[in-house]
Each structure stands twice: as structure tokens, then as C-alpha cells.
Amino acid sequence: MFKKVLIANRGEIALRIVRACRELGVKSVAVYSDADVHAPHVREADEAVRIGPAPSAESYLLGHEIIAAAKKTGAEAIHPGYGFLSEREWFARAVRDAGLVWIGPPAEAIAAMGSKTAARTLAVANGVPVVPGTTEALRDAKEAAAVAEQFGYPVLLKAAAGGGGKGMRVVHSASEIAGALDSAKREAKNAFGDDAVYVEKYIEGPRHVEIQILADQHGTVISLGERECSVQRRHQKMIEEAPSVAVSPELRERMGAAAVRAARAAGYVNAGTCEFLLDKSGAFYFLEMNTRIQVEHPVTELVTGLDLVQWQIRIAAGEALPYRAPFTPRGWAIECRITSEDPANGFLPSTGRINYLHVPTGPGVRWDSGVETGSDVGLFYDPMLAKLIVWGPTRSDAIARMHRALLELTIDGIETSREFHLRVMEDEEFRRGDIEIQWLERRLPSLLEQTPARRDIENAAMAAALIAHHDRQQAVAAPSAVSGPASGASGKTPSAQSAWAQTAWAQTARVESLRTR
Ligand code: MV4
């Protein structure tokens, strides 16, 4: 095992990796920008090295500076986390060339999965189902029209270098195809410097289901089952769960086997994820492979009992996986991404200082966060502050537990996605598992609607806070006049069991407890 690992990341995932290192008896080295001098990941690591100013391009993306920091501190390996340098082939290569160990897949596997068309070709050659379509770039609108006719409308034009939905156009009829091809090419050229575009049959209303795999250096590749990631907005996932209501044990086995074949074909080692579309008929199609640890890895950890980040480190150190059979999920896990965005205002990023943070605890609750009371939230990095993850024996238990945990959560000082998540947990369609990739965008207006009932509860919450404040003022003026937490208006439990009523109650109880301390 390594003695020391450098973590080339920040925020919750950097702290997550520090924790894995500490449990393995491995020393950790953090790197940080000027914006992160006081960040938890810096404080919790055994050592920390400043890289540069706040902008990522001058700090967390400076691969050569990070490699130099590893050399200087005597770290033997680099863990890239997700985002930043995690899927840069050149960086994986540079780490290896510097005589360090890359805690991730070989640079060649990153390259093999980097191009969508190359990954598609690899999948087809290995019996992994892909959406019907071409793999060659389209020459012109005439060819596009001919191919579209062959597969049948609607079709989807996709950038070969693509990702994140850029350079993608749905085309419903022959009359639209020339214009769509032009704009897709232009967008692809701008985003990726490559205007190659190909055609796929457009799959309507699918789910996004992905398979987590682990591969060691000794030829063992296993599937850890699926994650359901359909609750997303503009290609940003908001809520993930494991398993998926749409995946039977038999389908899990077939999707897992397909993911393992794709990983083997790419010469994959370490943790990775194969993304699939799952259509209403139960057919699945390989989209792409993510060659990194993902944000949503904890839901898989909670239903398999495995520590994926520890396994990434163990695999990189040469350890063999002791598992052979694919994993069967136990119970249900859900993750809500808590972001500094204002759902009531088009998810506008919110900035400021976190004045007060109260973190949910209790049975089955996990909080993976990079912030604490006093943290400044700016615009330099991703708006994801934390991940709230829960486990329960069934899906409905997990939803109830997530709702309860969200009620316990208080983040004061900035706008967050907390209220949005509460409303999703209360939503009938979500509770039925009736979700697909367009669900959130369709459902958002009604989720965010300010109904008379919600307004009443909001007013009740404000009244409760005012009453509590008034009580406290009285207690300060005449301490003997107040007998304890059960006194005053806040001593009555609200009868409405809505989120806002419970929040009002929780806020009042919190003020009460501060007063009586
Ligand atoms: C699709 C599709 C429907 N049909 N391909 C979006 C990003 C890229 N990685 C693949 N994407 C899609 N490909 C066919 N043939 C719908 C999407 C898609 C999507 C996929 C996964 C998660 C969210 C999505 C949101 C919109 C569209």
C-alpha cells in the first residue's frame, strides 16, 4: 500500500478521499487555491500545498504544478477525484511519466472512451447494444437525410467529440435536417474544436441508468449494479438512487454483463461507469463510459457495502479484488445534491457566507460535504456544496428518511436547493418511481408553484420564528418568567404535517434550545 497520496481536487470529493486514505493508513496531501485556504479538505489532510489563485485554470487545472507538489511532498500516487483533471488523458500520462501512480484507469482507456464514436464502435464490436445509427461522421445534409430515412424519424444528431448534450439536435422530419445539421456542426466546432456529427435514432422518454464497475490489475472486472440518474436538469443530475425501480434482477445481470464487456474491451482498470439509456420497453443502449469516480458513487456504496474510493486506491496499489459474482443491491439509497442555487429563481447561483449550518444525522444518513459554518461560497467552482445520502430497507423508507433529513438540514446565508428536494420527495410521480430524463423539466413548474397552502405554512414559519424571538427577549428581560422549552406558542406541535410546518417547528425548537442552554 502507498504511504502517501496526493489529492488533485477540492470540496467534498477531496475530503472523501482524505477519509479513505486515513482509513487505509495512508497519509494525504491536499492542494489548494487561494480561495480554499480555510477549506475543510485542506485542514483535514495531513499536508497541503498551495497551487495558485482562485480560478481553476490557475490552480486545480495546473497538472504540472500538481505533479511537482507530489514530488516535493514524497507522495507516490495522485487521486484526481471527478471533474478538473480526472479525465484528461495527457494528465494521466504525465503522472505515469513522472514515476507516480495514477489512481484511475490507464491513459489508453481514457482515450478509448473519450470519443463517442470510438466508444460506440468498441461497444458494437463487443456485443454491447448501442442506439441504432451511424458511427461515421456525416458528409452533408443529403447523406444525413438518407440515413435518417433509413432509421426513421425522429433522429438525433450528435457531436462525435460530444458530451453534456452539446452539438445535439432532435430532428422530426426531412425538412428540418439541413438546418439542424448546420447548427449542430457549428455548436460542436465551438465546444470541441471538431465539427464531426453523426446520427442516432432518437429514443423518446428513456431513463438514464448507469452501471458501476470495478476492475483490478489482475483481470477481474465486476459489476456493482445500477444507479438511476434520470432526475436531472440541463444535463446536471440532481437526485440519484440505487437500485432503479425499472431494473429487474434479470435486466441487472444483462446490463452488468454488457458494462463488464465494454470495460474489458477498453483495457479498463479501476472504478468506472457505463451510461445507458433504458427505454420504456426495457431495451438498453450504451451511451458512453465515465472514466472516473462519480459524484453519485455513495448510493452504490450504501447498497453494496463497498468503499469505492478505498477500492480505487487498493486497485492502483496492485491489490486483487476478492469478489467474483456481480453484486446484488441490499435496500435502497438516495442522494440529493445540495447546491448553492436558487430554485425559485431559475437555479441562479447564490453566493455569500454560510452563517449557520445544521447537518442532519440519525439512522441511515450520510453527509458528504466540502463546506461548514463560516465557509464563503463564491462563483469560482461548482455550486454543489454537499451531498445528502440516505439508506433505507425499501425505496419508500429511503424517501421518508430523505424527507426527514432535509427537514433537519439548515443552511443560512445563501440560497440552496433544499426546498426543491423536499418538494421532489413529496411528489406523487417521484414517489411512484415514474421518472425519465425529461421528467424534472416537465414537472418543475408544479414543483416550484407557490400554492395557498404553502404560503400559509411559510407565514406560520415566520410567525413561529417571531414568537420564539419574542420569548427569548422576555427570557433575557425576566429569566424566571419562562419555565422551559415547552412554554409559549412554540410548545404546540403544528398539526399540518407539511414540510413548511415541520420546518417552522424545527426552527422554533432550535431557537428554544438556544435560549434554554
Ligand atoms: C440520447 C437521447 C435520446 N436518444 N440519444 C444526452 C447527453 C449525451 N451523453 C447523451 N444524451 C442523450 N442521448 C438518443 N439516441 C437522450 C439524451 C439525453 C439525456 C441522456 C442522459 C441523461 C440526460 C439526458 C437529457 C437529455 C437528453
Side-chain angles (χ1 to χ4, degrees), residues 201-370:
K201 173 84 189 151
Y202 179 59
I203 309 294
E204 290 182 81
R207 290 167 184 263
H208 174 162
V209 175
E210 57 188 33
I211 300 281
Q212 176 71 54
I213 65 109
L214 277 180
D216 68 16
Q217 295 185 43
H218 311 279
T220 298
V221 186
I222 54 163
S223 164
L224 303 187
E226 80 281 6
R227 290 186 288 260
E228 162 73 69
C229 306
S230 296
V231 182
Q232 56 87 41
R233 178 180 171 272
R234 301 186 180 175
H235 303 288
Q236 287 298 315
K237 294 169 186 165
M238 312 282 275
I239 297 170
E240 304 95 342
E241 46 185 304
S244 165
V245 295
V247 177
S248 65
E250 178 269 330
L251 180 57
R252 180 172 303 121
E253 199 171 303
R254 284 191 291 123
M255 291 183 79
V260 166
R261 281 200 302 279
R264 281 193 189 285
Y268 205 87
V269 176
N270 217 284
T273 302
C274 290
E275 288 188 9
F276 294 94
L277 291 177
L278 176 63
D279 76 14
K280 293 187 173 101
S281 77
F284 64 89
Y285 311 95
F286 172 83
L287 279 183
E288 56 193 83
M289 186 166 187
N290 298 319
T291 54
R292 59 168 191 275
I293 191 75
Q294 286 186 266
V295 172
E296 60 271 28
H297 76 275
V299 293
T300 299
E301 295 189 320
L302 295 188
V303 297
T304 60
L306 262 60
D307 186 311
L308 284 172
V309 179
Q310 277 194 22
W311 271 113
Q312 286 194 288
I313 300 167
R314 288 163 178 262
I315 286 169
E319 207 172 303
L321 284 164
Y323 313 109
R324 287 297 172 270
F327 272 71
T328 313
R330 177 179 165 271
W332 216 279
I334 305 179
E335 171 178 283
C336 287
R337 298 189 184 193
I338 310 297
T339 63
S340 52
E341 296 173 313
D342 183 4
N345 213 337
F347 288 86
L348 191 75
S350 171
T351 61
R353 176 163 298 173
I354 298 177
N355 302 318
Y356 180 75
L357 175 65
H358 177 84
V359 171
T361 53
V365 176
R366 171 171 166 183
W367 175 255
D368 278 23
S369 161

Side-chain angles (χ1 to χ4, degrees), residues 377-398:
V377 178
L379 294 171
F380 284 110
Y381 312 113
D382 190 274
M384 196 180 76
L385 302 172
K387 304 180 307 203
L388 178 57
I389 314 119
V390 302
W391 181 90
T394 68
R395 187 170 186 269
S396 66
D397 292 319

